[in-house]
Amino acid sequence: MGQETVRKFGLEAQTGWIIPHNSELRDIASTRPFSLGISSQWMKTSRKNWEACNCFHYLGLNLSVIDFQNQKELGQAWNLSGSFEPFLFRSGKWAGSLATGIGVSYLTRVYDPIENPRNTFFSAPMSFLLFVAPKLTYELSPNWAIQTSFTYNHISNGGQRQPNRGMNFPMWGLGILHSTKSVEFPSFQKSQLSRNWSFYTDLGFNTRDGGDGSRNPNFTLAGGGYRQLSGIIGAGGGLELAKDFSLPIQESRTEALIPGIFLENHFLFGRFDFSQRMVRYLSKPERYQEDQDFYQRYTLNYLIGKNFRIGAGLKAHGHVAEYMDFRIGWKF
């Protein structure tokens, strides 16, 4: 069977709630946001595209507007994002998928110490949007389907401006999909599951506010290994070392070194690796995250060729994001 390109267009409405990850945010987080979005997605059925994640998957562009139902303090978020959505299963008229995405968000209301002091969620009008969304689809006809979703959203400015508490808000969605053509999926044989350990190293980079208006580099070097437990799940651990030049020092730059040890889960979709690290601080500078012993780092990497990886990461303490970074790496 030759390659086919399937395109689909979607319209979806969502409603949800805001997670108040600090007691100061409970009042302002009491509203129920509502969103309306449109999407355009495409999928190629060639073996080459299937091998990117050992599954059939859609790539897409999404445009949405979220009304936080508090026009004075929270306003709206206008979002443009790209998405990757592999199928988890297909059975008759039913299908399950898992969408992940990243994009930009224009926020109409942000923090102001005088006019909008309670909105410490957002401080930069242009911010980043990250989301993950399991979806369930039911086919009404060869060209039409309905879809339900549960989306976990995160918006923050990636540590580029303070305050940067960021907003986490889950949403339930209901939408309708139209496909330009129906398609019969080819049957491809998955490669045998490897029981060997995979090892990698990666380097994260961003810039952070030094407190005097300047931007200072922040590097994170990590090394780790994992073993596949199933076709899409792996587990492992490793070490990472951060060097943050934005932190104040007393005598030596070694004071700004931040080592950590981590356990890590991997969702493996062919060349894509979405990992979640739980990291224990081994040491840290004085007055830096004084009440925290652990943090999470979420990374999404894509393997280019056999060894080179490129991606992005997010460091967070619980529901509070600290910063985002860009990452390059090498898989051995």
Side-chain angles (χ1 to χ4, degrees), residues 18-32 70 73-74 118 120-121 165:
I18 302 169
I19 297 176
H21 48 69
N22 185 287
S23 59
E24 299 174 2
L25 299 172
R26 287 175 183 167
D27 288 340
I28 196 174
S30 61
T31 61
R32 298 188 66 85
N70 180 343
E73 294 177 297
L74 297 179
R118 294 206 308 166
T120 55
F121 286 119
R165 281 176 167 161

Side-chain angles (χ1 to χ4, degrees), residues 94-155:
W94 294 93
S97 58
L98 179 67
T100 58
I102 185 171
V104 293
S105 181
Y106 174 72
L107 302 162
T108 62
R109 296 292 293 163
V110 297
Y111 171 82
D112 183 276
I114 304 300
E115 296 183 359
N116 198 9
R118 294 206 308 166
N119 182 6
T120 55
F121 286 119
F122 311 131
S123 60
M126 293 301 299
S127 293
F128 298 99
L129 167 70
L130 300 172
F131 66 84
V132 59
K135 300 183 178 184
L136 184 65
T137 304
Y138 181 76
E139 186 180 288
L140 299 173
S141 73
N143 298 100
W144 291 93
I146 57 173
Q147 185 175 77
T148 61
S149 66
F150 176 75
T151 307
Y152 190 90
N153 302 278
H154 172 81
I155 294 178

Side-chain angles (χ1 to χ4, degrees), residues 297-309:
R297 192 181 300 278
Y298 306 95
T299 67
L300 178 63
N301 290 286
Y302 180 76
L303 184 65
I304 300 175
K306 293 184 177 181
N307 304 104
F308 185 67
R309 310 199 314 172

